[in-house]
Amino acid sequence: MQSKIGELIGIEYPIFQGGMAWIADASLAGAVSEAGGLGIIAGGNAPKEVVQTEIKKIKEITDKPFGVNIMLLSPFAQDIVDLVCEENVPVVTTGAGNPSKYMARFKEHNIKVIPVVPSVALGARMEKIGADAVIVEGMEAGGHIGKLTTMSIVPQVVDALTIPVIAAGGIGDGRGMAAVLMLGADAVQVGTRFLVAKECTVHENYKARIIKARDIDTTVTCQHFGHPVRAIKNKLTNEYDRLEKIELKKANPDLVQFDELGQGALRKAVVEGDVDHGSIMAGQIAGLVTKEETAKEIIESYISETKEVMAAECSRWL
Ligand code: TUI
């Protein structure tokens, strides 16, 4: 498969696996890279040693390119920047902030840098300071999200930039992939569908909630205070909603409690399998995800479906 991204980083299929905090470890990322996509290890909020162990493991699993996602809100972000430079990680993606201050360092180490950008302005800034590509993530995505939808932001960033654009958020199968390629994206990033990969080590209760989810089952917490996060509705998101209603009426809302409620919530769902009080971060396409498959099967199904729907439309239109 020819793609600008494929040539840039040496992958066979233009599919990235999202660097999901607490979830995207060497097991999942290694399987994705081995299957010809780009597996990405999540830095999340983890300390350097934890991420280093995963980097060492992925090098055992595959010789193919892989990435590390640096979550810029993490207290360990600087340490993870040092780590990816020391370990010769080929690709870095960043999220939840502006990576400008690290860019020169990445470039010195020949690392391909691909920031997630929630707007045209940040995308243009990233291109100017040397980003190799950008990931444009719509608010259909799971986890921490921006304000715009994939359908609206992808073509606007494509028009404003010359570097390749990877589309993310709401891309649950080959139909979604074909759609964003039509919008001008060069590749896709997929999170939610990989949550149920056989190689994904997330707790089985988490997987079961994704497979059970319907179209209307995600919600966004902290729309007014703190960081908006999309997750499957449960007792935790109900509690967020209740607190938000109370605090919205106050002149000086108490913001600390939102952080406290969020602390450890993702770990609770991912590691302990507490899907009532933990945060089941997932995108709006969770309703499309119906079965556990290997990472290879997931990638192959995106590619074959994309070809199929493209060919069908071409024969109708051309
Ligand atoms: O980062 C993500 N998704 C995430 S991070 C995460 S861990 C977390 N948990 C609770 C609260 C906050 C984080 C779970 N899911 N996606 C990439 C992404 N990046 N989405 C939005 C952004 C973003 C937002 C603002 C990127 C840049 C940005 O820049 C603002 C600025 O400083 O200019």
Side-chain angles (χ1 to χ4, degrees):
M1 279 221 74
Q2 295 276 313
S3 66
K4 283 188 270 178
I5 276 297
E7 278 161 37
L8 182 74
I9 58 182
I11 53 173
E12 195 178 347
Y13 301 118
I15 299 179
F16 289 18
Q17 157 254 309
M20 301 168 283
W22 277 106
I23 296 170
D25 56 8
S27 169
L28 177 61
V32 170
S33 285
E34 201 44 28
L38 186 74
I40 299 178
I41 292 170
N45 274 311
K48 187 173 176 178
E49 304 73 51
V50 171
V51 184
Q52 186 164 34
T53 304
E54 297 307 311
I55 293 174
K56 294 205 182 308
K57 278 192 204 159
I58 200 171
K59 288 177 178 172
E60 299 283 313
I61 297 172
T62 184
D63 293 329
K64 296 186 181 174
F66 66 93
V68 169
N69 175 261
I70 304 180
M71 210 278 282
L72 295 166
L73 290 169
S74 165
F76 302 110
Q78 175 69 61
D79 291 351
I80 308 299
V81 170
D82 294 339
L83 176 66
V84 295
C85 294
E86 290 158 19
E87 291 283 345
N88 296 316
V89 169
V91 182
V92 161
T93 63
T94 66
N98 182 337
S100 295
K101 66 175 176 181
Y102 306 120
M103 194 64 89
R105 199 78 209 290
F106 292 139
K107 298 273 93 185
E108 264 167 41
H109 286 82
N110 236 344
I111 295 173
K112 300 283 184 260
V113 191
I114 312 185
V116 171
V117 297
S119 65
V120 168
L122 193 60
R125 170 99 193 106
M126 292 300 107
E127 172 165 299
K128 201 166 166 210
I129 64 171
D132 295 280
V134 290
I135 300 166
V136 176
E137 187 185 271
M139 53 82 82
E140 298 94 323
H144 173 43
I145 52 172
K147 291 193 166 65
L148 302 173
T149 59
T150 300
M151 179 79 111
S152 50
I153 190 179
V154 169
Q156 295 187 63
V157 175
V158 165
D159 283 352
L161 274 54
T162 59
I163 54 178
V165 168
I166 297 108
I171 305 166
D173 59 23
R175 294 170 298 179
M177 180 159 171
V180 294
L181 295 179
M182 288 296 111
L183 296 177
D186 189 59
V188 298
Q189 177 167 279
V190 173
T192 304
R193 184 95 182 256
F194 282 121
L195 280 173
V196 300
K198 289 216 166 84
E199 300 87 348
C200 179
T201 55
V202 73
H203 197 284
E204 64 185 75
N205 296 352
Y206 200 122
K207 285 188 180 177
R209 289 297 277 263
I210 301 298
I211 286 170
K212 203 176 79 176
R214 299 164 301 169
D215 54 350
I216 55 169
D217 286 343
T218 73
T219 186
V220 181
T221 56
C222 289
Q223 298 248 40
H224 304 280
F225 312 110
H227 303 287
V229 166
R230 182 179 301 284
I232 304 275
K233 288 177 197 166
N234 63 359
K235 284 186 182 153
L236 176 74
T237 65
N238 290 343
E239 181 61 8
Y240 265 114
D241 289 349
R242 191 184 70 78
L243 285 177
E244 236 176 343
K245 275 190 197 114
I246 296 168
E247 296 304 318
L248 267 171
K249 292 188 189 126
K250 295 186 185 166
N252 290 310
D254 170 13
L255 301 182
V256 180
Q257 57 183 336
F258 290 97
D259 285 341
E260 281 171 1
L261 197 57
Q263 297 276 325
L266 184 57
R267 185 191 173 281
K268 216 180 264 178
V270 171
V271 181
E272 294 168 25
D274 183 349
V275 289
D276 292 325
H277 309 98
S279 179
I280 317 165
M281 294 185 190
Q284 287 186 323
I285 57 89
L288 274 179
V289 179
T290 54
K291 60 176 185 289
E292 205 176 354
E293 292 170 290
T294 64
K296 187 164 188 280
E297 286 166 340
I298 293 172
I299 290 175
E300 282 170 356
S301 96
Y302 270 87
I303 298 298
S304 65
E305 271 176 28
T306 300
K307 284 183 182 165
E308 200 179 300
V309 297
M310 289 244 187
E313 286 308 305
C314 280
S315 72
R316 252 194 291 277
W317 287 86
L318 302 178

